[in-house]
Amino acid sequence: MTERREFISNSLQDVKSRIASAAHLAGRDLAEITLIAVTKTYPVSDVQILRDLGEGNFGENRTEEGAVKSLEVPGIWHYQGQVQSRKLREIASWANVIHSLDQISHIEKLNRICEELDKKISVFIQLSLDGAPDRGGVVEQELAGLADVVATSSALELKGLMCVPPVEYEHQLAFAEVAQIHQRFISRFPSAKSLSAGMSSDFEIAIAHGATHIRIGSQILGSRTYHP
């Protein structure tokens, strides 16, 4: 086993062990939790190692990277970066799941594109706890309006909510609030049971509060080298 493969294998097993422990402590079924390996900025060779190790869900924040890597490595590909209208067609060409929809116009355009491509995409609506416009997402009061548009679309499946709490929020309080909002959301949209929440620094807390999709990069693949 090469040094890089061994590193990734060991890190992956550690993360999966922690996921299992967190699920057990929360009294949850481990099968409810989907691990998304966030491969942004990492080379396609790392994605292939993950695939060889049995992983099948990969996350990207930049559509250019996702388009290239998804051609090289089969899997379920998740787009979780902020959505730009001009890039929706490119995102739709490779992504199976989009986690970060927060505008009705984007939902409507994405549905038209998917109809043209004869493709269905699963989507999450991004929740914002504080309403800060620079981080994306909408406050709770705006969720239903977006969800109604997804629910009436022909090519989009509403999975649930996604949230990245502001860094200044205490993790337990933030995810408890997210969980409460998600439960209220489910009462109106019963099929939207998924909650995309939790990353490398807080995924165990997110699992304790009902996260079904956790997005982990550096804990599996090591420190990132960022590119402008």
Side-chain angles (χ1 to χ4, degrees):
M1 184 180 288
T2 66
E3 183 177 339
R4 181 60 177 164
R5 180 185 174 90
E6 184 174 6
F7 173 84
I8 293 175
S9 178
N10 291 340
S11 299
L12 177 63
Q13 289 308 309
D14 177 65
V15 165
K16 293 175 82 168
S17 176
R18 290 168 61 189
I19 292 170
S21 178
H24 176 73
L25 289 172
R28 297 186 57 198
D29 183 350
L30 185 59
E32 296 176 353
I33 301 167
T34 298
L35 169 61
I36 302 167
V38 179
T39 53
K40 66 175 184 179
T41 77
Y42 297 103
V44 69
S45 57
D46 282 357
V47 188
Q48 187 60 62
I49 289 172
L50 286 166
R51 180 71 185 184
D52 292 343
L53 291 170
E55 297 308 300
N57 286 272
F58 309 109
E60 287 289 336
N61 286 47
R62 296 175 178 174
T63 186
E64 295 83 1
E65 283 191 70
V68 171
K69 292 173 185 175
S70 62
L71 285 175
E72 296 287 334
V73 183
I76 300 172
W77 284 88
H78 301 252
Y79 179 78
Q80 55 202 38
Q82 287 193 322
V83 174
Q84 297 179 345
S85 179
R86 63 186 177 85
K87 296 205 171 180
L88 270 172
R89 183 172 295 276
E90 185 175 1
I91 295 169
S93 71
W94 62 268
N96 306 106
V97 187
I98 297 177
H99 289 245
S100 46
L101 286 174
D102 62 2
Q103 293 186 37
I104 287 176
S105 62
H106 290 168
I107 295 169
E108 293 173 337
K109 182 175 181 179
L110 178 64
N111 186 60
R112 291 195 299 270
I113 291 169
C114 288
E115 287 178 336
E116 294 172 16
L117 296 174
D118 192 23
K119 176 180 183 178
K120 289 191 179 294
I121 290 182
S122 298
V123 301
F124 291 81
I125 296 172
Q126 184 173 350
L127 166 68
S128 170
L129 291 182
D130 62 358
D134 57 324
R135 282 195 296 269
V138 298
V139 295
E140 180 179 5
Q141 292 75 14
E142 298 177 38
L143 292 173
L146 276 73
D148 282 333
V149 178
V150 176
T152 58
S153 68
S154 60
L156 306 180
E157 177 195 6
L158 180 61
K159 293 286 288 182
L161 301 181
M162 184 274 268
C163 188
V164 181
V167 293
E168 63 270 19
Y169 278 41
E170 196 276 324
H171 288 168
Q172 290 282 0
L173 293 176
F175 286 117
E177 182 179 353
V178 171
Q180 292 168 0
I181 293 171
H182 187 224
Q183 288 305 307
R184 291 192 287 269
F185 186 74
I186 290 173
S187 70
R188 180 162 177 176
F189 302 93
S191 64
K193 298 184 184 302
S194 296
L195 177 60
S196 174
M199 298 185 290
S200 287
S201 63
D202 54 21
F203 68 87
E204 287 148 314
I205 300 171
I207 289 170
H209 288 91
T212 62
H213 292 67
I214 55 175
R215 311 178 306 274
I216 302 179
S218 59
Q219 286 287 323
I220 297 172
L221 296 170
S223 299
R224 283 190 173 89
T225 301
Y226 283 94
H227 301 286

